[in-house]
Amino acid sequence: RSLRQRIQNKPSSPEVMIMKISCLNPIAAVGMQLFTDAYEKVDDFSASDAALVRSASVHELELPDQLLAIARAGAGVNNIPLDKCAEKGIVVFNTPGANANGVKEAVLAGLFLGARDIVGGVNWVQTVKEDPNVAKLVEKGKKQFAGTEIMGKKIGVIGLGAIGVLVANACVALGMEVYGYDPFISVDAAWNLSKDIKHIANVEDIYANCDYITVHVPLMDSTKKMINADAFAKMKDGVIVLNFARDLLVDDDALEAAIAAGKVRKYITDFPNAKTAQMNGVVAIPHLGASTEESEDNCAVMAVKELRDYLENGNITHSVNYPACDMGICKAAGRITICHKNIPNMLGQLTGACAAEGINIEDMTNKSKGDWAYTMMDIGSEVSEALVEKLAAINGVVKVRKVK
């Protein structure tokens, strides 16, 4: 790209700096109200400095050169081209944990729907509701919908992130024997787990022992179709599987065979597709996990706060393609931020460019995440056009921004 495309140089005065924000989906008003007069909501994505999105796909859109950030009001970011954004210096945010309670409650509803054939019973009542003897028919026919109780049953929770922890703790409170598996569990999640949860080192122990299995992991190459024929073969006969995480975590063909063989008693999913929606033994919910007023509000508020902190201060919190980096509010004369490749001698070149311009760096931080890195510099003088151009000309730099 041209040098001009790699520079984002916004004036620091609030009278002239108007950031244009586009929403690719409706975003809760409680979040949008957090934007000040320094922001303008626009309908044209190509004219925006930052964007908010929920489920709309960004993959087919042309990313404008001036776009600084995209905030996903939710946890999953499969609808956003992360690598392409990183290459253009576009920081992508998500809102982990903001909708966790809403999804947890949906999982608990799914747990009860799996244990008791409530859906089948409700649907059957609709077929006999016009019969004047409906009360007698109900008493006679209800036995075909009898289920089991969950108290004392074993449930395996695969993935102990923000949602998995809440689900595991809730199942303990419901009197279940809970097995938890997550080789990458965070310190915060570990602290929040009930002491009654059995920590499992091998996921196959969950397959072999649990009556219920619920999956709460992100969709990645390593987790795609992780619940496959081999996994089903290791499970107990009559197991109930819940998937409120991502559709492609479960191999549909293997699931169909497992249901037909009686290995899986029921599959409860929040992600129906053309195959599972037609399967017997499947309770397909239309992606309602985070569809609560509270979750939508929480996600909108978190997403807007993340965007504002980045746009106004250059700080990064909860990005999925760039590292977390925070220097608070700038008290120096100027602040400049650089999105760049994570390659050797980059810092030396950045500081060398400042030295060549006679600029004193008062504070600085540099963080990396995979192939990409982010540098923030507070300097003792106003950020000049010459400095911005020198930094942007360095090989491996993808975006330079004058924050103050």
Side-chain angles (χ1 to χ4, degrees):
R1 298 194 312 281
S2 69
L3 181 63
R4 185 181 65 81
Q5 290 174 321
R6 292 157 61 189
I7 298 173
Q8 183 70 26
N9 191 11
K10 288 281 183 180
S12 59
S13 170
E15 286 76 27
V16 294
M17 185 189 76
I18 301 295
M19 288 284 184
K20 295 181 178 180
I21 308 295
S22 62
C23 298
L24 301 181
N25 294 105
I27 302 297
V30 68
M32 297 303 294
Q33 290 168 0
L34 296 177
F35 285 119
T36 66
D37 292 341
Y39 296 88
E40 175 189 358
K41 185 176 181 296
V42 298
D43 295 327
D44 186 2
F45 176 70
S46 66
S48 57
D49 297 300
L52 288 152
V53 63
R54 290 172 59 199
S55 59
S57 177
V58 187
H59 289 278
E60 297 77 22
L61 301 179
E62 183 69 27
L63 299 173
D65 291 327
Q66 82 283 354
L67 189 68
L68 297 173
I70 298 174
R72 161 78 162 97
V77 289
N78 302 96
N79 56 326
I80 302 172
L82 302 182
D83 291 341
K84 187 177 177 181
C85 287
E87 290 167 2
K88 297 196 70 169
I90 300 167
V91 179
V92 178
F93 298 90
N94 69 345
T95 58
N99 60 11
N101 188 70
V103 178
K104 176 207 76 177
E105 292 185 2
V107 173
L108 295 180
L111 184 62
F112 290 116
L113 293 177
R116 311 283 290 272
D117 191 8
I118 294 172
V119 172
V122 168
N123 291 339
W124 175 75
V125 169
Q126 294 303 302
T127 68
V128 298
K129 64 182 180 181
E130 302 297 336
D131 194 304
N133 296 314
V134 62
K136 291 183 178 179
L137 290 173
V138 164
E139 289 304 315
K140 183 178 180 180
K142 67 181 182 180
K143 60 184 178 181
Q144 62 186 305
F145 307 107
T148 58
E149 297 180 14
I150 64 172
M151 180 176 284
K153 302 300 192 301
K154 296 176 182 177
I155 183 168
V157 182
I158 301 175
L160 296 169
I163 296 169
V165 167
L166 294 182
V167 170
N169 289 344
C171 289
V172 169
L174 289 169
M176 303 188 78
E177 188 176 338
V178 182
Y179 291 62
Y181 172 78
D182 191 334
F184 308 107
I185 188 170
S186 69
V187 174
D188 286 344
W191 274 106
N192 289 323
L193 272 179
S194 166
K195 62 180 177 58
D196 295 317
I197 293 169
K198 295 178 173 62
H199 296 255
I200 303 302
N202 190 333
V203 70
E204 292 185 2
D205 290 336
I206 284 180
Y207 297 154
N209 291 290
C210 291
D211 308 294
Y212 298 82
I213 296 173
T214 180
V215 186
H216 300 283
V217 300
L219 178 62
M220 303 181 293
D221 290 341
S222 60
T223 60
K224 187 176 181 180
K225 295 187 177 181
M226 62 178 287
I227 308 298
N228 51 30
D230 289 340
F232 285 124
K234 295 180 175 71
M235 295 180 190
K236 296 172 66 172
D237 290 343
V239 67
I240 294 173
V241 178
L242 298 96
N243 179 10
F244 284 74
R246 284 290 177 268
D247 180 31
L248 294 178
L249 297 173
V250 177
D251 184 325
D252 291 339
D253 292 333
L255 170 67
E256 186 174 39
I259 292 174
K263 173 65 70 171
V264 173
R265 176 173 143 199
K266 279 186 186 173
Y267 176 60
I268 318 297
T269 181
D270 204 25
F271 303 94
N273 59 42
K275 192 174 185 70
T276 57
Q278 300 183 58
M279 283 187 201
N280 292 325
V282 172
V283 176
I285 301 167
H287 200 184
L288 299 180
S291 294
T292 67
E293 292 180 10
E294 294 86 351
S295 287
E296 292 179 8
D297 286 353
N298 292 341
C299 288
V301 167
M302 184 182 286
V304 170
K305 286 182 176 179
E306 291 167 353
L307 275 185
R308 284 196 57 185
D309 195 22
Y310 179 65
L311 297 175
E312 296 170 24
N313 302 308
N315 299 322
I316 296 178
T317 305
H318 296 144
S319 172
V320 291
N321 64 345
Y322 273 93
C325 202
D326 191 340
M327 286 179 58
I329 297 173
C330 181
K331 295 181 173 60
R335 173 173 289 180
I336 195 163
T337 64
I338 307 105
C339 295
H340 56 87
K341 292 182 179 178
N342 183 21
I343 54 179
N345 196 37
M346 179 57 74
L347 281 182
Q349 294 182 79
L350 297 177
T351 56
C354 292
E357 290 296 310
I359 300 295
N360 180 47
I361 300 174
E362 296 187 354
D363 196 6
M364 176 178 176
T365 186
N366 168 267
K367 301 290 183 181
S368 63
K369 185 172 187 174
D371 295 332
W372 298 99
Y374 186 69
T375 299
M376 301 176 70
M377 296 189 295
D378 283 356
I379 62 177
S381 58
E382 184 179 345
V383 178
S384 67
E385 295 293 332
L387 176 59
V388 171
E389 291 180 2
K390 274 186 179 293
L391 293 169
I394 296 171
N395 185 39
V397 169
V398 295
K399 185 160 286 183
V400 179
R401 183 161 70 100
K402 173 184 174 181
V403 176
K404 178 182 177 182

